Amino acid sequence: MPGTRPPDRRTAPVVLVGVLLVALASCERRGGCTGDYCGALVFAAAGEPDILLPPVTQQAYARDVLEQIFLKLADLGPSGNTVGDEDFRPLLAERWEWDGPLTLVFHVDPRARWQDGQPVNAADVVFTFDIYTDSLVNSPYRSSLRSIGAVTARDSLTAVFRFRTRYPEMFYDAVYHMRMLPAHLLRTVPRDQWRSAGFGRAPVGSGPYRFVSWKAGQSIELAADSTSFLGRPHIRRLIWRFTPDLQVAVTQTVAGDADAVDVLGPPDNVKRAKGAPDLVTYPYRGAVYGFLGFNLAAGGDTNKPHPLFGDRELRRALAMVVDRQALLKNVWGDLAQVPPGPLARIWSIWDPATRELPYDTAQGRRLLTRLGWRDSDGDGILERDGQPLAFRILVPTTSGLRRQYARLLQQQFRAAGADVQLDEVEFSVFDERTQAGRFDAALVTRTVDPTPSSSIAQVWTSAGRSNAGHYANPVFDRLVDEARAATGRDEAKRQWRRALETLNQDAPAVFLFAPDNVAAVHRRVAGVTIRPDSYWALVRLWRIPADQLTERDRMEP
Amino acid sequence: MTAWLVRRLAAAMAIVFAVVTITFCVIHLAHGTPFLPGPDQDVDPQVVARLRQQFGLDRPLPAQYVKYLWALLHGELGESFYLRRPVADALADAIPPTVTLAGAALLIDFLLGLACGVYQAVRARRFADIALGNLALFLNAMPTFWLGLVLLLVFGQWLRWFPVAGMRDPVLCPTIAGARCTVDVLWHLALPALTLGLVGAAGTARYQRAAMLEVIDQDFVRTARAKGLGEGRVVLVHTLRNALLPLITLFGLAFPFLLTGAVLVETVFAWPGMGRLSVAAILQRDYPVVVAAALVASAMVTLGNLLADVLYAVADPRIRARSERA
Amino acid sequence: MNLGKWLALAAAGAVALLAAAAVRRRAAASAAGRRFLAHPTATPGVFILAFFVTIALAAPFVALDPNSMPGIVDLRDRPPSVLHPLGTDVYSRDVWSRIVYGARISLGIGALATLVAVTVGAGVGAVAGYFRRWVDAALMRLVDVGLSMPRIFLLLMAVALWERVPLAPLVLLIGLTGWFGTSRLVRAEVLSLREREFVAAAQALGAGPARVIFRHVLPNAAAPIIVSAALGIGNVMLLEAGLSFLGIGVPSPAPSWGSLIYDGWQHMAAAPWTSTFPGLAIALVVMALNAVGDALRDALDPRQEGP
């Protein structure tokens, strides 16, 4: 370019600004935290909590954070047993006793304090029960507390629970669903405004971690309460980073931007995590099972059986032609198992000896032929009375796993002579159509509670609220009631096995997978234990040894 | 002039009102019921019924619409179904990140586009011009979110030069305010702003090149050259000033583009802005948030156009006279 | 991909070359055509478009079955090889085949939706420009409303009016949300054209408004309409890609290029080619359309300089 221009006239300011930025960036306070009580742990979460107020949210992401801030009276032990009270660990209640078959008395730990300094007392327990069961508050846990008649305070540290009936999981219902709330801070909130109360964005609890900040859409930060009566947590700061989906969460953890992710999910992600040198993987029992549910009632009307799936023999035949082990190997590798019924890995009633329909294509085809399905025009699709054996599988677009299963199932059914088309819809439409019964078959993934009493009953008994396929068998209902009344673990296992064997013979669904989850946590964290029903429940026991502290661990907030 | 301004403002408000009405109707008629959890979770029908009653979803549509308008006129945007907070709060948290992203993208857009367009005009029809021109054509043609994905893959995952998602590092940023936090946000801002900015810069460069070519041959430039002024001065002082007018048009055009482009780019980079908020709200059928987002978006676009028109009128008296006649 | 398919692909390339050469010859004969050819990117653009249209039409000859999943365990996420020139996706489907069949869907949606948009836009613009006064004011207010709302926003909601939007309503929706710009352009042209003598002559001869608009005014306003269409197809393709990326849009398993990117998004770490190549295809086609559109603009209306 003609004309001269001194070369450093424009470049000098740029260099200067660059040097300044670098200098500022590297400027940090030397020193920081040292010792055993430092550490900043970053969780990569695939979603954001809706509100941090225990009675009004059922979300798993909210539960992860609430677990650190709010305590229950007692919680599940490592065995996960929900029957009786021997396997529970005391938290806010230091001890309890039975004052008769229907009366349970809790003694609140006198050392327990709310994070604003006030002591925790029985009035808080009474208030909490009142809130959870108030119809104005509209808590989703309200129906789980139906069998508790009343909660009263005998004195300032003694709370009395009175039950309506006797059943094996009374203690579980008394302690598991409710997290104790500070009455003195929440009494003034109008009952119909609990759903979006401001307290839920700046909560105060009695747990080992205090709330610090919540940046909407970005992160939540908690700080350890050094005066917690359960013992001072070793890790000083807990931070949740929100990502829009699991893939990004795993990428962040592998890249080192986060320290832990609770459920890695598909085998690809597990492989990536195992390949990362700084991560350790922790497998644990999963609380999920997936199935292809048949719709037994057309359009949700129980008086009108579905033209195809109202027929028990057809369901059995179709269930028999699916090679569930092969599908599992393709999609999950060795990270999941085929459940012998509506079972999740977390349940102790998981019995591999449960009798179910075998994978037997030949028998399935014979059954189909016996029912009158023949391929009369040679197109590979069976027909009967002019009607082809055709149906649609409903899948949500958001789950890559279920989409994969849908395609594999389509292939397998086609090989058996059924013409299967896929309906891939967005999740809100999926929810709406399954609730309304507007589907033939749907791929459902079900998250379960630590006990099968509620989970199996909700989905598979005729009175169950989530029975989208409208499966109804009075024999099965009776067996479920008997199983729920079983008092010993072995007896419960036997009873549930009988009930599920009955269900399996009716083939209301094809049970496809029950995964074992894998979590990934950074190498420097010691003492990691993961509770399958609430993954980060034991974080207060984890620690980062002083010689493993990174620069971020040492940073003063 | 004032009468014209008042008329335009009234027209702007009417437009926003129409947009709100259309959005309200469409989203309420869409499939998918709010508050209905799927078969993956237990649904207590009593809880659902109470929620629907609480938010007025059991009333007929016209009644809901009137109630919404009445609240809107009082400045109430309603409460989000799923975010458990007033819609105004959710928007207040989401708008600054979008504005930051749009601002950074516009900066990259104009600076890069201007520089590129000027350079191309000066080197017209030679190799640099043709090469840059084709590059601009290519950049302008690609889907913005795809460019974002590719940049994320190369610079975020493979090279690890930039972060993979989000707006800031939660460990660094609330810890130390000031310089370190700003640098951290800028570092997170780099890839998304580059994605939006590059595609826009390609368009701006083409525009600017054409505008400058139009001016560069005119008499007054040749006179300046003849007078012996240096080439750089000629280019910068004389031609650029006259070619700046189209930039104002571009500003008005860029705004809606950035809002739409931002929707997809925010999704790719997990940027906590309005685009992500709107998309999530539509997919979840969070009615109050959807309508409020439409209101804000159309208000921004309409006001942006108005601003562009005002700037135009101020800059060029001929246009002002013409617009007053129209 | 076997030998026969590679040969067919080569043949398709040859056909596209011939088409481009034929266009060149025809164009060199007229002044407008020469202006068109003066753009160095015009001929390559025509070639690229001809190539994609050819392979879309000849899809069964140049590609395998886009929906077949030959080895859903062993063949998933394979990098590009001779057998699968662009690799396989997570369901072991051949990416090249899906792109070829996807060309049918994406180009088809682009062309049809643009047809709808340009027709409605030209019609509205012509009516507004011809009748002026309150008709013009009313229609232009409608255009303002349409332009002030982000298009993808409106489409996201409108698509939700169906549980699973079929192709025809999707095309109509995309078209009906995109005519606003064209109407403004056409209106400007008509406003200036209606003052010309030939319009007065037609009116003096007793022609009604419809006849004047369709027989006399619109043909002379063809230039902005054609350019709008060429550039509009590109916009529609980008828009359709965006919609599919958000999980709506063309329903599975139809391999529109946008849904190919969506399918591969979750596997970018393991198999980046599944999302990269469809995006590249979109970029190539849209680039060609923009180049041809620009050249057309200069060819048909030499008065206008620049975009």
Side-chain angles (χ1 to χ4, degrees), chain A residues 379-394:
Chain A
D379 61 354
I381 307 295
L382 301 173
E383 294 104 14
R384 184 175 73 176
D385 303 329
Q387 289 284 44
L389 182 57
F391 59 94
R392 307 184 73 91
I393 296 184
L394 191 68

Side-chain angles (χ1 to χ4, degrees), chain B residues 29-49:
Chain B
L29 292 173
H31 281 281
T33 322
F35 299 123
L36 202 66
D40 306 358
Q41 237 190 342
D42 265 335
V43 50
D44 186 350
Q46 277 187 346
V47 170
V48 175

Side-chain angles (χ1 to χ4, degrees), chain B residues 142-156 191-192 194-196 199 264-265 268-269, chain C residues 245 265 268:
Chain B
M142 56 177 65
T144 22
F145 66 91
W146 179 78
L147 178 63
L149 281 178
V150 171
L151 287 178
L152 198 56
L153 185 70
V154 173
F155 294 105
L191 280 184
L194 203 65
T195 309
L196 276 177
V199 178
L264 298 167
V265 167
V268 170
F269 289 95
Chain C
F245 181 70
W265 183 26
M268 278 296 266

Side-chain angles (χ1 to χ4, degrees), chain B residues 36-171:
Chain B
L36 202 66
D40 306 358
Q41 237 190 342
D42 265 335
V43 50
D44 186 350
Q46 277 187 346
V47 170
V48 175
R50 269 240 60 189
L51 280 172
R52 290 180 64 78
Q53 189 193 32
Q54 189 179 348
F55 283 96
L57 292 175
D58 49 352
R59 321 263 312 284
L61 190 60
Q64 290 187 47
Y65 176 63
V66 169
K67 183 158 165 256
Y68 181 79
L69 270 188
W70 187 243
L72 194 62
L73 286 172
H74 285 87
E76 292 278 326
L77 286 173
E79 187 186 301
S80 159
F81 291 170
Y82 295 106
L83 297 173
R84 313 294 189 102
R85 52 202 301 230
V87 176
D89 288 356
L91 283 179
D93 277 339
I95 288 181
T98 296
V99 170
T100 315
L101 182 60
L106 265 178
L107 204 68
I108 295 182
D109 183 338
F110 281 166
L111 288 182
L112 214 57
L114 213 63
C116 202
V118 166
Y119 185 62
Q120 275 189 278
V122 166
R123 287 259 186 270
R125 278 172 277 280
R126 278 182 263 184
F127 176 72
D129 175 29
I130 298 180
L132 277 177
N134 284 334
L135 183 65
L137 201 62
F138 186 59
L139 278 175
N140 217 8
M142 56 177 65
T144 22
F145 66 91
W146 179 78
L147 178 63
L149 281 178
V150 171
L151 287 178
L152 198 56
L153 185 70
V154 173
F155 294 105
Q157 267 190 268
W158 288 347
L159 292 173
R160 302 260 182 103
W161 286 359
F162 289 100
V164 172
M167 187 170 161
R168 48 159 71 98
D169 186 330
V171 180

Side-chain angles (χ1 to χ4, degrees), chain B residues 287-304:
Chain B
Y287 298 159
V289 177
V290 173
V291 182
L295 188 148
V296 170
S298 65
M300 279 162 102
V301 170
T302 320
L303 286 177

